[in-house]
Amino acid sequence: MVLSGIWKKQEGSKPALPQSITVSHSKEIPPRDIQDLCASVGWSRREPELIRRAMANSLAVVSVWDDGILVGMARATGDKVFNATVWDVAVRPSYQRMGIGRLLMEELLCELDAYQIPLVTLYADPGRDGFYRRFGFSVDPSGIRGMFREKQ
Amino acid sequence: MVLSGIWKKQEGSKPALPQSITVSHSKEIPPRDIQDLCASVGWSRREPELIRRAMANSLAVVSVWDDGILVGMARATGDKVFNATVWDVAVRPSYQRMGIGRLLMEELLCELDAYQIPLVTLYADPGRDGFYRRFGFSVDPSGIRGMFREKQ
């Protein structure tokens, strides 16, 4: 539960992160905490055992905590060699606009870069691409298009 | 090296698949064979040890063979629970337009569906989205955008 040292204090008018904020790269997050976080941002409920397995099978998981409360998370899947895909970037609403999303992305990309993965991808919700551009992501380079197949 | 039974004979004017075609779901493909296939479609060369590790860390790998020659492959990464991403769909040029791409996708999706993964994603090269629409994929649903971060 330590900062990796790449995070810098937010500039401008945003409130500073509370001193009590800690970061973890452990995949073993209690599913109940993840359920609470997901509910806070309006995501559908997922079963605890499925959450546990998905975290264990992820390539990297970053979580941000404030005094025992999970206030943000992000994770990535991938082959640990050629590519990774970022999923589930979430910050509890009462902790948004403090730089926690940026902290999550910096910590996650730092871990992926340690594997020297050349390609990191993600799917940005509408209007969120500006946030990810800050970390070097671009939309549909060379005409490549993200496609989805969802089963109910 | 057996067909999963979901493949059907091609309709229309395309040539039928040679009887000698076999399908494998093994992740242990000799890297040299993958290098040859990638070279045939103009992809950059990858190191054998990196190929071996990436295949082992993939969620699913499908390969198509003709008399000992690797003529096509596709693979997917993911958390085995909530999502998967399809990568590296390649068919040797002399075997294209025979239905091998369709066979690869059907076999790969069949394996992913066995895990009951609700969301499968991919990044389609320009002009290739029509091919993937046949398997239930759609482009940028709900305004979600695929984004990429590449390191040289």
Side-chain angles (χ1 to χ4, degrees):
Chain A
M1 299 269 262
V2 292
L3 291 169
S4 297
I6 59 165
W7 176 72
K8 299 179 193 71
K9 204 166 190 292
Q10 289 293 303
E11 295 161 10
S13 59
K14 288 183 183 175
L17 277 178
Q19 291 292 319
S20 49
I21 288 285
T22 55
V23 177
S24 169
H25 285 250
S26 169
K27 296 177 183 177
E28 294 180 9
I29 304 173
R32 179 61 181 270
D33 290 323
I34 294 179
Q35 287 179 317
D36 286 350
L37 173 61
C38 290
S40 80
V41 294
W43 292 356
S44 58
R45 190 178 179 280
R46 294 167 164 181
E47 292 302 318
E49 176 55 21
L50 296 182
I51 291 174
R52 195 196 59 72
R53 280 169 40 203
M55 294 302 130
N57 292 335
S58 292
L59 180 53
V61 177
V62 176
S63 56
V64 172
W65 302 76
D66 184 15
D67 198 20
I69 298 169
L70 178 64
V71 300
M73 71 162 288
R75 68 186 178 103
T77 54
D79 63 14
K80 222 171 183 170
V81 179
F82 297 124
N83 62 64
T85 306
V86 176
W87 300 99
D88 299 341
V89 182
V91 177
R92 196 174 284 270
S94 55
Y95 284 80
Q96 289 177 4
R97 304 195 63 76
M98 288 181 183
I100 288 173
R102 174 176 151 179
L103 174 59
L104 285 165
M105 285 300 294
E106 286 177 341
E107 292 278 336
L108 189 65
L109 293 173
C110 183
E111 185 170 346
L112 297 179
D113 287 345
Y115 295 124
Q116 299 188 295
I117 296 169
L119 176 65
V120 183
T121 63
L122 58 80
Y123 297 95
D125 282 336
R128 294 296 292 162
D129 57 297
F131 170 72
Y132 294 111
R133 282 181 203 277
R134 289 193 244 167
F135 307 98
F137 288 86
S138 59
V139 171
D140 301 337
S142 312
I144 292 169
R145 302 301 298 272
M147 299 188 78
F148 299 74
R149 174 178 175 269
E150 281 186 274
K151 293 220 164 185
Q152 300 308 320
Chain B
M1 299 271 262
V2 292
L3 291 169
S4 297
I6 59 164
W7 175 72
K8 298 178 195 70
K9 202 166 191 291
Q10 287 294 302
E11 296 160 10
S13 59
K14 288 183 183 173
L17 278 177
Q19 291 293 320
S20 49
I21 288 285
T22 55
V23 178
S24 169
H25 285 251
S26 169
K27 296 177 181 177
E28 293 180 9
I29 304 173
R32 178 63 179 271
D33 289 323
I34 294 179
Q35 287 178 318
D36 285 349
L37 173 61
C38 291
S40 80
V41 294
W43 292 357
S44 57
R45 190 177 179 283
R46 293 166 164 182
E47 292 302 318
E49 177 55 21
L50 296 182
I51 292 174
R52 196 195 59 71
R53 280 170 40 204
M55 295 300 129
N57 292 335
S58 292
L59 179 53
V61 177
V62 176
S63 55
V64 172
W65 301 77
D66 185 15
D67 198 19
I69 298 169
L70 178 64
V71 298
M73 70 163 289
R75 67 186 179 105
T77 55
D79 62 14
K80 223 172 184 170
V81 180
F82 296 126
N83 62 62
T85 306
V86 175
W87 300 100
D88 299 340
V89 182
V91 177
R92 195 175 286 269
S94 55
Y95 283 80
Q96 289 177 6
R97 305 196 63 76
M98 290 183 183
I100 288 174
R102 175 174 150 181
L103 175 60
L104 285 165
M105 285 300 293
E106 285 177 340
E107 292 280 336
L108 188 67
L109 293 173
C110 184
E111 185 169 346
L112 299 178
D113 287 345
Y115 295 124
Q116 300 188 295
I117 297 169
L119 176 65
V120 182
T121 63
L122 57 80
Y123 297 94
D125 283 336
R128 294 296 292 163
D129 57 299
F131 171 73
Y132 294 111
R133 282 182 204 275
R134 289 194 245 168
F135 307 99
F137 289 86
S138 59
V139 171
D140 300 338
S142 311
I144 293 169
R145 302 301 300 271
M147 299 189 79
F148 299 74
R149 174 177 175 268
E150 280 185 274
K151 293 221 164 182
Q152 300 309 320

